[in-house]
Amino acid sequence: MAQGTAFDVKEAVLSNTTFGPQEIRRLVESISADFGNYRVLRDAVQQLEREEELSPATRVRLGVCYYLLGRYRQAVECLSNADGGALARFYLGKAHFALGQYEEAIRAYQAAATAGYDTGLSALGRVEALRYLNQAQEGLKLLDELSGPVEQTAEYLYQRAATTHALLGNPAEVIRFYERAVEADPTHAGALFGMAMENDRHGNDDTAVMLYERCTSRFPAHVGALINLGVLYEDRQQFDRARQCYQRVLDVYPNHERARLFMKDALGSDGGGSDDDAARRRDRITQMLAVPVTDFELSVRSRNCLQKMGIMTLGDLTMTTEQELLASKNFGETSLVEIKEMLATKGLQLGQFADQRPKFEPIVEPQSLSADEQAMLSRPIADLNLSVRARKCMVRLGISTIGELVRHTGDELLECKNFGVTSLNEVREKLTSHNLRLRGE
């Protein structure tokens, strides 16, 4: 497989030829150029799985392919039992990161560097994981320690931009880093997504769409970019394109909740009378209000303040006023501007639904709870493993976390269409297993 010849995806997966960073890059590029090669990769992996005995080197190949297919848990298992080499450790770090296991990712990246993987790339992987652990300052120190050619790479410039943004750095500097990253690599998905988000945030829809499209032309696809692009397509009444975006997410993540909800909405968006259109708009708003604030790359200070105030979703923000946010300790004007810009990208405003806020005090005050108790309340409602009927009621009510659920009474839940006593008893049983209860019980 010389550099100038056509790249055979099936051969790359099933043969015993060299399999390293260069081959992985060409594998990714071949799928980016022709998404039909994704199916070739998937079929080749299925064939490889049927082999009775896999050598440690073959396990590395299979584990990396699992990662590319979005099968991260299988990637972790496979790579953990591979040859222990540099490539295996590096992609083990990437798989751990994709699963939200950031501390494990850091250890894997460190092990990869020790085993001989590119020290700059390994360090940049740790920077990203540190940022998601709310340790952006430590990530910045690590960036400052790097020197030489790595400082001119797109990945370094992207991580510098994202880390500066997380630390509430100069917005103009953040954009400059993103622009330099794209200049270094016009296909860098992270940098393109960052620039698209900045334009999306400021209402530059045409530019945002163009950047999201460039970002989503790459493989593996950036899920956030596909979702955001789909929403923008729907705003433009381009429902076929929106459905294609959501389907690309579902091809890799069949159970992706937001993609499934948005796909359902997009499928019903062609034609129909005004009543149906109004119902779809209400459903879309309900879905949007249920989006967790953790889906957005906010600064560490903003994230911490929102968590302390028990604000988990965009809906919580729309029922919170500017004055209430500013009254929170360590929440200043800079964080306020950041939050308002984030909401503006979704057509929402702080406090716009404050008059619809329930007139009761929640039975729990997040500030008075232990870290474990707060973690329980912030867990997604999906962790309760509710039945389909009960889950649909949660979506209709805009309930996305366990903390939001316990702020409701049983009577309020019963008012939801198709939610009866059987579903109510189910919810009570699930909450009781976690030593929780509905409000007033």
Side-chain angles (χ1 to χ4, degrees):
M1 289 182 295
Q3 181 70 28
T5 61
F7 189 80
D8 189 322
V9 172
K10 184 176 181 179
E11 181 185 358
V13 176
L14 298 176
S15 70
N16 292 320
T17 56
T18 302
F19 189 79
Q22 180 177 341
E23 287 70 31
I24 295 171
R25 177 180 59 78
R26 295 192 67 193
L27 179 60
V28 167
E29 289 176 348
S30 69
I31 298 175
S32 297
D34 180 2
F35 197 68
N37 282 323
Y38 175 84
R39 290 185 290 275
V40 177
L41 172 63
R42 185 183 57 199
D43 293 344
V45 166
Q46 290 177 348
Q47 186 173 337
L48 189 60
E49 288 173 324
R50 290 194 292 269
E51 294 189 9
E52 293 184 1
E53 292 187 13
L54 299 177
S55 68
T58 302
R59 286 186 176 276
V60 176
R61 192 183 302 254
L62 179 59
V64 172
C65 290
Y66 279 148
Y67 170 79
L68 294 176
L69 290 172
R71 294 157 64 176
Y72 303 124
R73 295 192 187 281
Q74 288 175 283
V76 167
E77 180 180 0
C78 191
L79 293 169
S80 296
N81 295 286
D83 62 4
L87 185 69
R89 294 299 177 188
F90 183 77
Y91 275 88
L92 180 61
K94 291 175 76 69
H96 276 307
F97 178 84
L99 289 169
Q101 299 166 348
Y102 305 126
E103 293 179 350
E104 292 90 337
I106 290 173
R107 288 195 289 270
Y109 285 133
Q110 289 174 323
T114 300
Y117 203 83
D118 185 288
T119 55
L121 290 177
S122 300
L124 292 174
R126 290 162 55 198
V127 169
E128 187 167 39
L130 285 167
R131 189 169 69 253
Y132 277 79
L133 282 170
N134 292 336
Q135 298 176 27
Q137 192 63 53
E138 292 301 313
L140 183 61
K141 291 180 182 177
L142 190 52
L143 285 169
D144 289 339
E145 292 172 2
L146 295 175
S147 60
V150 69
E151 292 180 279
Q152 304 304 317
T153 63
E155 183 65 15
Y156 174 91
L157 295 165
Y158 162 66
Q159 294 298 343
R160 175 70 75 169
T163 302
T164 303
H165 174 78
L167 292 171
L168 293 178
N170 186 333
E173 183 181 14
V174 172
I175 293 174
R176 281 197 298 272
F177 278 125
Y178 279 139
E179 290 174 341
R180 289 179 58 196
V182 173
E183 288 175 4
D185 179 3
T187 67
H188 193 284
L192 288 168
F193 180 69
M195 288 180 62
M197 282 287 290
E198 289 296 324
N199 282 277
D200 199 348
R201 181 178 294 122
H202 291 91
N204 303 325
D205 288 357
D206 290 343
T207 303
V209 167
M210 180 270 292
L211 290 167
Y212 281 137
E213 287 175 340
R214 287 175 59 187
C215 177
T216 57
S217 69
R218 302 300 298 162
F219 175 83
H222 193 294
V223 173
L226 284 169
I227 294 290
N228 289 1
L229 180 58
V231 171
L232 285 174
Y233 279 150
E234 286 195 67
D235 288 343
R236 298 177 169 205
Q237 308 294 304
Q238 296 174 313
F239 299 111
D240 285 342
R241 290 189 174 187
R243 288 190 284 268
Q244 290 171 9
C245 289
Y246 304 143
Q247 188 59 56
R248 284 184 62 188
V249 177
L250 294 171
D251 284 343
V252 181
Y253 308 103
N255 297 317
H256 194 285
E257 186 175 358
R258 288 178 62 201
R260 291 173 67 183
L261 288 171
F262 286 13
M263 173 63 89
K264 181 179 179 181
D265 186 66
L267 285 170
S269 293
D270 288 333
S274 58
D275 289 342
D276 289 340
D277 292 340
R280 281 192 291 271
R281 286 194 293 271
R282 287 194 299 271
D283 287 344
R284 170 48 60 91
I285 292 175
T286 298
Q287 294 165 13
M288 189 62 67
L289 294 179
V291 173
V293 294
T294 51
D295 279 12
F296 300 86
E297 194 166 331
L298 297 172
S299 64
V300 174
R301 178 172 295 177
S302 295
R303 287 200 301 270
N304 289 341
C305 286
L306 294 180
Q307 184 177 16
K308 289 177 182 177
M309 295 177 70
I311 295 175
M312 305 299 178
T313 65
L314 296 186
D316 290 339
L317 281 171
T318 64
M319 290 191 287
T320 305
T321 65
E322 291 186 19
Q323 292 74 21
E324 288 169 329
L325 284 180
L326 291 172
S328 177
K329 185 179 180 182
N330 296 328
F331 196 97
E333 290 287 347
T334 303
S335 294
L336 179 64
V337 170
E338 180 182 26
I339 296 297
K340 291 171 70 174
E341 289 182 346
M342 177 190 76
L343 285 173
T345 66
K346 303 304 177 185
L348 301 172
Q349 294 179 336
L350 271 176
Q352 72 181 91
F353 298 131
D355 59 333
Q356 301 178 25
R357 185 165 48 192
K359 303 302 181 182
F360 55 82
E361 290 297 322
I363 63 171
V364 289
E365 290 291 345
Q367 301 92 326
S368 64
L369 299 178
S370 68
D372 289 342
E373 290 170 327
Q374 288 191 39
M376 173 60 68
L377 294 178
S378 65
R379 284 170 57 181
I381 201 74
D383 285 2
L384 292 180
N385 294 316
L386 297 172
S387 64
V388 174
R389 178 168 294 181
R391 287 201 306 272
K392 286 186 176 180
C393 177
M394 300 300 109
V395 172
R396 291 191 185 100
L397 293 175
I399 297 172
S400 61
T401 67
I402 294 175
E404 292 170 351
L405 174 59
V406 299
R407 297 177 188 178
H408 287 71
T409 67
D411 288 341
E412 289 168 345
L413 295 180
L414 288 171
E415 291 176 0
C416 184
K417 182 180 179 181
N418 295 329
F419 189 91
V421 174
T422 300
S423 296
L424 178 60
N425 289 335
E426 176 193 0
V427 168
R428 285 170 171 159
E429 289 175 4
K430 297 288 188 179
L431 289 176
T432 299
S433 68
H434 295 289
N435 297 318
L436 296 172
R437 66 186 188 279
L438 293 170
R439 182 171 64 87
E441 297 185 352

